[in-house]
Amino acid sequence: MHADQPILFFDSGVGGLSIVAPVRMAMPQARFVYAADSAGFPYGTRDEAEIAARVPALLGRLAERYRPRLIVIACNTASTIALGAVRAALDVPIVGTVPAIKPAAERSMTRTIGVLGTAATVRQAYVDDLTARFASDCRVIRHGSADLVTLAEAKLRGEPLPAGAVRNAIAPMLAAEGGDAIDTVVLACTHFPLLADELADAIPRPVTFVDGGAGIARRVAYLTAGQAFVRDQPDAAVFTGAIGDGLPIALQRYGFETIEQW
Ligand code: DGL
């Protein structure tokens, strides 16, 4: 272990920045590399086999190139499908991002929870399992939205969002049977905390949003406790494909000064 080895964050796009922010707060001494698979974006509308093949292979190449001390899969879709395969393939500690159903169930008073993710995430057996283990006495209403992912990317590029777009994207969740009792919503896609204000405005009553960011920051700090850190290079972001106009400015706000394309 060298003191300059980074922590590598991986997502299909810029959603993982919602995980970078709390980890940065917890570990300002660490060097970060942010990898966005923009050539494979979006993941949420792909099938399981594609993601299961793509993510471990790509992370293997990224690990060879950047030699991270730890990898955060800052993507619920990739984590719920490929976490086991990535752990089996790589000799690096891997922290995944999976829907925060447990803390949501702990705080819901109405025992009605919304799980807002991508279509690929909300249909995973991983989510069935979390629901059975931690929310068996709750009504859990799952909703997959590709539009919210697109809107979050647009917001990060600095584009104005069409009026009503966020409201329309979550309308089916609220209109589902029992949806009027939802008091807690799991943001089960890392893009969605980037739209926290818009989501709060789009729900006509107070609802608590829960995501995995704080828990991941604690986990990363725990797994790297006692390690030496030196920041001798700027934090870098790497894209496997296109880098949208406006993204470099957003990435700089999150501390990534160098932007590379693969
Ligand atoms: N940010 C990702 C997630 O947490 C996926 C977005 C996408 O590529 O569809 O699920």
Side-chain angles (χ1 to χ4, degrees):
M1 171 73 63
H2 296 286
D4 65 348
Q5 282 182 259
I7 295 171
L8 187 135
F9 294 79
F10 175 79
D11 183 33
S12 58
V14 293
L17 294 173
S18 72
I19 305 292
V20 164
V23 181
R24 176 88 73 193
M25 294 268 286
M27 310 201 51
Q29 73 281 27
R31 182 164 74 84
F32 290 178
V33 171
Y34 187 85
D37 183 15
S38 55
F41 174 89
Y43 280 2
T45 51
R46 291 183 183 273
D47 65 34
E48 282 71 9
E50 280 180 280
I51 293 170
R54 186 174 182 92
V55 170
L58 194 47
L59 278 171
R61 287 166 54 210
L62 287 163
E64 254 175 45
R65 172 154 170 183
Y66 293 102
R67 301 275 166 214
R69 68 180 69 211
L70 180 145
I71 293 174
V72 179
I73 305 181
C75 174
N76 288 261
T77 311
S79 299
T80 55
I81 294 171
L83 187 55
V86 173
R87 284 197 171 127
L90 299 186
D91 192 19
V92 180
I94 311 288
V95 175
T97 306
V98 299
I101 289 173
K102 183 171 185 247
E106 282 165 0
R107 71 167 322 289
S108 173
M109 303 300 287
T110 60
R111 313 312 289 151
T112 307
I113 297 168
V115 176
L116 199 52
T118 65
T121 294
V122 300
R123 65 172 181 254
Q124 290 312 308
Y126 206 116
V127 179
D128 301 342
D129 182 52
L130 290 173
T131 303
R133 282 168 60 204
F134 302 118
S136 57
D137 66 332
C138 293
R139 187 196 288 260
V140 177
I141 299 173
R142 307 182 193 186
H143 177 55
S145 172
D147 288 347
L148 285 179
V149 175
T150 308
L151 290 164
E153 291 273 331
K155 181 178 174 184
L156 263 274
R157 289 193 300 269
E159 295 169 16
L161 305 187
V166 171
R167 190 178 305 270
N168 292 342
I170 59 167
M173 180 181 76
L174 300 177
E177 195 184 341
D180 54 349
I182 291 174
D183 67 349
T184 309
V185 174
V186 180
L187 298 181
C189 168
T190 54
H191 279 73
F192 299 171
L194 303 175
L195 294 172
D197 294 342
E198 291 81 357
L199 285 164
D201 287 348
I203 301 184
R205 56 175 192 275
V207 156
T208 302
F209 296 100
V210 179
D211 69 69
I216 288 169
R218 283 194 298 274
R219 184 81 189 137
V220 173
Y222 171 79
L223 289 173
T224 58
Q227 295 180 3
F229 289 91
V230 173
R231 293 175 57 106
D232 62 354
Q233 297 175 55
D235 288 354
V238 56
F239 284 68
T240 59
I243 305 171
D245 289 345
L247 281 190
I249 292 170
L251 287 160
Q252 275 165 16
R253 280 204 310 275
Y254 284 86
F256 297 96
E257 290 159 38
T258 307
I259 299 169
E260 304 164 11
Q261 198 171 25
W262 239 16

